Amino acid sequence: MYMYGDLGYWAIVIISVVLGFITQAYIKSTYNKWSQVPSGMNATGAQIARRMLNENGASDCGIGRIPGKLTDNYDPRDNSLHLSDDNYRGGSVASVAVACHEAGHAIQTAEGYFPGKLRTALVPMVNFSQSIWMFVFLAGILMGVIGLVQVAILLFAFTVIFQLVTLPVEIDASRRAVRYLQASGSEIDQRGAKQVLTAAALTYVASALVSVLNLLYLLGRTNRR
Ligand SMILES: [Zn+2]
């Protein structure tokens, strides 16, 4: 078979599982640790995010709730933060960190931050290539058509580029959150936010790394054929 047969492939599978496990465990334990610590600002995640938005030119951004745990996100389509219940109502350092990170994304949009704009523009195309690349790849292998395999790899490369563009956007949102907490004078929030958001960034770095390895592997295999 094309894949599944060699050491390189299994090495990537193992790296992916191990890295995934470590980064998930790390974010969970860091988040749990800081959700026991009350924020120094005496307010909920939603309230602090509201202040951060208002003070940074994003007062038109809404704040709503979303079910689940750590499901928090900023959606540029409705220009709203969607905060999980824990972070919306909670007043822990972890809640404030996550809420301010999402506010950071809204401020990126308000400022027209370029990598953020690029990432948003790529979303529809990446959804398409993510859902189709594996089918094209398998069809190419089964029918023995190298052209289809190459198209599949190109589609996959696109999702890798998307993951790489995501990195600076996420790191910038976290930087904005930490900077805001520093400026608003809460030492404990600043320290906790740094730890929680670094742990979150590591999950993005790990999955981007695994995707790059996968892409290199696919390119290497195709070139040898
Ligand atoms: Zn983010």
Side-chain angles (χ1 to χ4, degrees):
M1 267 299 272
Y2 194 87
M3 50 203 303
Y4 308 127
D6 63 90
L7 270 177
Y9 176 78
W10 288 108
I12 294 175
V13 170
I14 291 166
I15 290 171
S16 141
V17 170
V18 171
L19 269 184
F21 180 80
I22 293 173
T23 51
Q24 285 307 315
Y26 185 55
I27 176 79
K28 240 190 195 160
S29 79
T30 311
Y31 180 83
N32 285 343
K33 173 183 154 195
W34 286 101
S35 35
Q36 314 295 322
V37 182
S39 158
M41 298 166 86
N42 248 326
T44 66
Q47 288 167 336
I48 311 267
R50 181 76 272 159
R51 277 186 227 161
M52 179 174 163
L53 291 167
N54 292 351
E55 290 168 25
N56 288 277
S59 54
D60 58 343
C61 174
I63 302 181
R65 296 174 186 216
I66 188 167
K69 215 174 154 71
L70 283 180
T71 43
D72 310 70
N73 65 81
Y74 163 70
D75 192 338
R77 288 169 301 181
D78 61 359
N79 189 29
S80 286
L81 310 188
H82 301 271
L83 301 179
S84 61
D85 268 346
D86 284 349
N87 296 333
Y88 186 98
R89 281 186 299 188
S92 73
V93 170
S95 296
V96 168
V98 173
C100 287
H101 169 91
E102 299 309 336
H105 283 306
I107 294 162
Q108 288 173 340
T109 300
E111 285 182 3
Y113 172 73
F114 179 72
K117 266 180 159 166
L118 178 63
R119 187 182 181 278
T120 306
L122 292 176
V123 167
M125 280 192 283
V126 88
N127 285 340
F128 171 74
S129 54
Q130 235 163 14
S131 61
I132 205 170
W133 85 271
M134 204 34 148
F135 293 109
V136 179
F137 184 76
L138 289 176
I141 302 280
L142 293 174
M143 298 193 290
V145 181
I146 191 75
L148 273 184
V149 173
Q150 285 166 335
V151 168
I153 294 177
L154 211 69
L155 289 169
F156 182 68
F158 193 74
T159 71
V160 177
I161 290 169
F162 180 76
Q163 280 183 302
L164 293 177
V165 173
T166 298
L167 291 181
V169 178
E170 291 303 328
I171 290 167
D172 177 79
S174 291
R175 232 184 248 143
R176 288 170 195 263
V178 172
R179 217 185 299 142
Y180 177 74
L181 294 169
Q182 188 177 16
S184 52
S186 173
E187 168 76 35
I188 187 84
D189 287 271
Q190 187 203 337
R191 195 149 55 87
K194 251 188 202 161
Q195 285 188 21
V196 171
L197 299 176
T198 302
L202 285 179
T203 65
Y204 285 103
V205 171
S207 64
L209 180 70
V210 167
S211 295
V212 168
L213 287 178
N214 264 310
L215 181 62
L216 292 176
Y217 170 80
L218 288 174
L219 287 171
R221 290 300 313 245
T222 312
N223 279 342
R224 261 186 273 159
R225 294 256 141 164

